[in-house]
Amino acid sequence: MRQNQNIKGITIHGIEIKVSCYADDTLFLLDGSVNSCRRLFHDLGTFAKFSGLRPNIAKTQAMWVGHGVEERTGLCEELPIQWTNRMKVLGISFENDLDNMSKNNFEGKIDEIKSVIKTWYRRHLTIYGKICVIKSLILPKLTHLLSSLPNPTPEFIRGLDTILYQFVWNGKRDKISRKSMAKQVQYGGAGMVDTHSYMQALKVSWVKRQLQSDNQWAKLFECKIGFGDCIWDRNARSLKNFSRRIQFNRFWSDVALAVAEFKAAYGDYSWDEMSSCSLWYSDYSKFYNNRIHSWFSRGIRFLNDMLKADGAIMSFEEAKHIYGIAGLQFDYDCVVSSLPRIWRTANKTKLYGPLIDPSLAFILSKSHGAKHIYGKLVSLKIKGHVHKWERKWNEVFRDIAWNEVYGNISRINSMRYRSTQYKIVTRTHATQSLLHQIGVANSNTCNRCREYEDNIEHKFWHCRFVQIFWNSIADWLTANQILENRTNLSAKSVLLGLGAASTFIGHVILVAKMIIQRREHLRLTEVIRWLQSDRELEEVVARVRGDRRPFVEKWEPATEALS
């Protein structure tokens, strides 16, 4: 059908587009003539005779696109085609009103998201469990739309964030700032999705598709949007200006704006990376919004192009001889003087072979997916952010190795233990002091000793009944020659979880804190019972994985103690 001259498609800038196949859906784009329509169905009928694959004409939909669609009527009335103003292809509803098309597609997903949340709302999941539901069941409902359509309104994103965080916090106000939540677990966060950065990362990933594809849409982009030029190596400021220039195509305007945001997130380049940066539309010369076109066309495109073989910057005469550029000495001196001093004075090495902007190379570094792009965008959003709880803990203990604290949390395999430790470290555990502060409890004193204020430190360490509990655990560990030094069970190591969870002692501490959280009466026998249950479970997991070494290293010291 692509070769049939009697079937005319839509032609833009000399590129004719007739057909697009998406899985089991086939979409034909015709010029709107009766002849093309009839020839198309004639050829489909001929194809059916030989293949046995007969199109269902009664289910076939047709829609006019472009200007003046309200005045047009159907074609080929002898065919039972359904003429409509809206058509769904791969889950996306297409219509002529582009603004309403994006709005209707996104708003239709909100009810689906609320339905999923309702299913999981009363299952008493941990924070990590809820975030897992969001990533695996909710975001996939939006991924295709966010990747294929212009961005939804900021109000939609804010409303979506509200729905997701209400699910995480059981309909209550946020207990941890959203910047902290968006950080990865090893940096003190919970790995919560930042929806804006997720949306922008999906848009940036189109740069890779556009540069590596030779399909018709990529060629059309170069003619209609890119104007025959590679615009992705420009700096953030120029890309924002470019985004405003192509407002006639909201999708690619959003892509350009997302790339500009990514360029800002990528950070400053080292002096050796600067050689691969574009000389024009760059943050590394004063020509950040234009270029000397004759020099660009002659081959002076990157900072590296101005270097001699020994790494020194060419003189104007040398540049004229090699590139054949025109202009004045003054012009060349202006370009050189606008370059970063750190680059001009450094011992540079001239690079050979194809050059690519470092930020663009980062986008292209992964064969598929946008996870690495998302990570960069989130890093910009949380740059310089300090967790509020770190300041409070620093008033209690000195020289806290926060990397070790967060690293130990990320290595806890059990979500219930990880969630408990995370709440302790972030000081969001529901102590009597916190409940009294928000008006839920009548008193802020400890429910066990009835003497002191029940804050995190008191509940899990300083309470006299809790101290008796910890001493009984230390005696049991010492008697079984598992704990050599009782100082390993200090307030700092217990509260912040500085003992590695992969060791038996670290696991004992986690179990003890879980029992302190859940039980009114604290007994050593219950700790032993929990440990026996956990050992049986981890043994099954090790057997399934076919690797018993970590299991043996962790549990072998307690073989006699748990027998």
Side-chain angles (χ1 to χ4, degrees):
M1 296 179 187
R2 288 192 176 98
Q3 307 302 322
N4 191 334
Q5 298 299 318
N6 293 317
I7 301 176
K8 303 294 184 181
I10 296 177
T11 302
I12 306 174
H13 282 272
I15 301 173
E16 185 180 32
I17 303 173
K18 290 185 182 181
V19 59
S20 294
C21 296
Y22 307 96
D24 59 345
D25 287 340
T26 302
L27 179 68
F28 292 98
L29 301 164
L30 304 181
D31 63 349
S33 66
V34 174
N35 182 60
S36 292
C37 185
R38 285 178 177 161
R39 290 296 303 181
L40 170 65
F41 284 98
H42 175 269
D43 285 5
L44 287 174
T46 304
F47 174 74
K49 291 179 182 179
F50 290 94
S51 67
L53 302 174
R54 189 175 303 277
N56 190 337
I57 305 298
K59 291 178 63 176
T60 300
Q61 292 182 319
M63 182 179 77
W64 288 102
V65 296
H67 297 290
V69 294
E70 299 83 1
E71 304 171 0
R72 298 183 180 181
T73 58
L75 298 175
C76 304
E77 295 181 359
E78 69 275 11
L79 296 172
I81 304 172
Q82 301 176 34
W83 286 89
T84 180
N85 294 323
R86 181 180 297 178
M87 181 185 297
K88 181 169 283 191
V89 179
L90 284 185
I92 296 180
S93 294
F94 289 89
E95 54 186 280
N96 273 285
D97 189 339
L98 297 181
D99 292 330
N100 278 336
M101 185 180 81
S102 183
K103 178 182 177 182
N104 292 337
N105 276 282
F106 283 107
E107 290 185 351
K109 292 293 181 180
I110 292 296
D111 290 337
E112 295 182 29
I113 291 172
K114 289 181 178 179
S115 177
V116 173
I117 289 176
K118 186 178 180 180
T119 302
W120 291 89
Y121 196 78
R122 299 187 182 278
R123 299 200 180 187
H124 305 290
L125 300 175
T126 66
I127 290 176
Y128 300 105
K130 292 175 181 177
I131 292 174
C132 182
V133 169
I134 289 171
K135 289 182 175 180
S136 59
L137 298 179
I138 295 178
L139 275 186
K141 292 183 177 296
L142 295 170
T143 300
H144 184 49
L145 296 182
L146 292 172
S147 179
S148 305
L149 293 177
N151 290 344
T153 62
E155 291 76 16
F156 175 86
I157 295 297
R158 286 195 292 269
L160 177 63
D161 279 338
T162 299
I163 292 171
L164 298 182
Y165 276 96
Q166 282 183 342
F167 172 53
V168 170
W169 299 116
N170 295 323
K172 302 173 184 176
R173 68 178 182 86
D174 296 0
K175 296 180 181 178
I176 300 174
S177 73
R178 295 184 180 182
K179 285 186 177 181
S180 294
M181 288 287 287
K183 288 185 178 183
Q184 294 302 309
V185 178
Q186 59 267 33
Y187 301 116
M192 178 61 178
V193 174
D194 181 84
T195 50
H196 175 77
S197 299
Y198 181 74
M199 173 182 69
Q200 297 296 74
L202 291 174
K203 287 295 191 294
V204 173
S205 65
W206 275 95
V207 173
K208 180 167 53 179
R209 295 189 184 99
Q210 189 269 318
L211 292 176
Q212 296 178 345
S213 175
D214 58 354
N215 291 331
Q216 290 177 319
W217 69 266
K219 296 175 183 177
L220 187 60
F221 170 87
E222 294 177 3
C223 299
K224 185 71 176 176
I225 308 296
F227 308 112
D229 189 14
C230 180
I231 53 95
W232 304 122
D233 58 356
R234 299 184 180 185
N235 65 348
R237 186 185 323 188
S238 179
L239 283 170
K240 288 180 181 178
N241 292 335
F242 178 75
S243 174
R244 288 190 286 268
R245 286 174 54 201
I246 59 171
Q247 284 292 330
F248 58 86
N249 189 310
R250 279 188 53 206
F251 176 80
W252 285 109
S253 177
D254 288 341
V255 171
L257 204 59
V259 177
E261 186 175 327
F262 173 78
K263 293 260 186 178
Y266 192 82
D268 296 329
Y269 299 149
S270 60
W271 65 264
D272 54 334
E273 288 180 314
M274 293 179 190
S275 295
S276 299
C277 293
S278 175
L279 181 61
W280 320 106
Y281 299 105
S282 168
D283 290 324
Y284 298 103
S285 76
K286 292 181 180 178
F287 292 84
Y288 50 75
N289 248 352
N290 60 6
R291 64 164 64 111
I292 301 178
H293 288 276
S294 61
W295 292 14
F296 180 83
S297 61
R298 292 286 184 173
I300 300 182
R301 303 189 175 192
F302 300 92
L303 272 66
N304 185 73
D305 295 329
M306 302 186 70
L307 298 180
K308 296 187 289 187
D310 61 359
I313 298 176
M314 295 179 184
S315 66
F316 179 54
E317 294 300 324
E318 289 170 328
K320 285 200 300 183
H321 175 72
I322 294 175
Y323 295 107
I325 60 174
L328 302 175
Q329 177 74 45
F330 177 76
D331 299 326
Y332 191 79
D333 290 343
C334 286
V335 173
V336 173
S337 62
S338 74
L339 303 179
R341 180 183 296 274
I342 187 175
W343 184 80
R344 282 184 286 149
T345 58
N347 293 323
K348 301 173 291 297
T349 302
K350 185 174 179 65
L351 305 176
Y352 294 93
L355 297 178
I356 184 171
D357 182 89
S359 62
L360 194 55
F362 183 83
I363 293 174
L364 301 175
S365 62
K366 304 294 182 181
S367 59
H368 61 277
K371 186 176 180 179
H372 60 304
I373 302 170
Y374 170 79
K376 279 288 184 182
L377 290 170
V378 171
S379 68
L380 172 68
K381 202 163 190 175
I382 62 178
K383 185 177 182 180
H385 175 71
V386 178
H387 297 301
K388 182 172 65 176
W389 60 80
E390 289 185 6
R391 294 193 292 268
K392 292 185 177 180
W393 279 118
N394 287 332
E395 295 174 1
V396 178
F397 302 116
R398 293 183 179 180
D399 303 324
I400 300 175
W402 286 109
N403 289 337
E404 183 182 350
V405 172
Y406 299 140
N408 286 339
I409 293 176
S410 67
R411 286 188 287 271
I412 299 174
N413 293 324
S414 170
M415 289 300 104
R416 61 175 182 171
Y417 292 142
R418 180 188 288 188
S419 181
T420 298
Q421 182 59 33
Y422 186 68
K423 288 179 180 180
I424 293 173
V425 170
T426 58
R427 305 182 73 89
T428 56
H429 184 78
T431 61
Q432 285 296 111
S433 178
L434 179 61
L435 294 175
H436 178 69
Q437 185 179 350
I438 62 177
V440 176
N442 296 324
S443 172
N444 65 353
T445 56
C446 175
N447 283 335
R448 288 194 173 93
C449 68
R450 311 285 182 180
E451 296 174 356
Y452 299 98
E453 180 183 350
D454 184 41
N455 54 25
I456 292 289
E457 297 93 306
H458 179 85
K459 179 169 187 173
F460 289 96
W461 183 259
H462 292 301
C463 176
R464 57 190 177 90
F465 292 104
V466 174
Q467 273 295 299
I468 294 171
F469 181 55
W470 284 117
N471 287 332
S472 67
I473 292 174
D475 292 339
W476 176 67
L477 292 173
T478 304
N480 287 279
Q481 300 181 348
I482 299 173
L483 181 66
E484 297 180 359
N485 188 352
R486 294 174 69 97
T487 58
N488 290 336
L489 289 180
S490 64
K492 184 177 180 180
S493 63
V494 167
L495 292 171
L496 298 180
L498 292 174
S502 58
T503 65
F504 177 72
I505 295 177
H507 195 94
V508 170
I509 293 174
L510 289 173
V511 169
K513 285 186 286 190
M514 181 71 77
I515 292 174
I516 293 171
Q517 172 192 345
R518 295 189 175 189
R519 300 289 188 264
E520 180 180 355
H521 302 290
L522 307 178
R523 298 186 178 92
L524 176 62
T525 54
E526 188 162 9
V527 174
I528 297 173
R529 182 174 60 81
W530 277 45
L531 290 172
Q532 290 171 337
S533 177
D534 288 347
R535 183 180 64 174
E536 292 175 3
L537 179 61
E538 290 192 19
E539 186 174 15
V540 172
V541 173
R543 192 183 306 121
V544 171
R545 291 179 175 176
D547 183 11
R548 287 179 53 84
R549 182 179 53 80
F551 169 79
V552 172
E553 291 178 355
K554 176 178 180 177
W555 294 97
E556 189 175 28
T559 302
E560 294 183 6
L562 297 178
S563 59

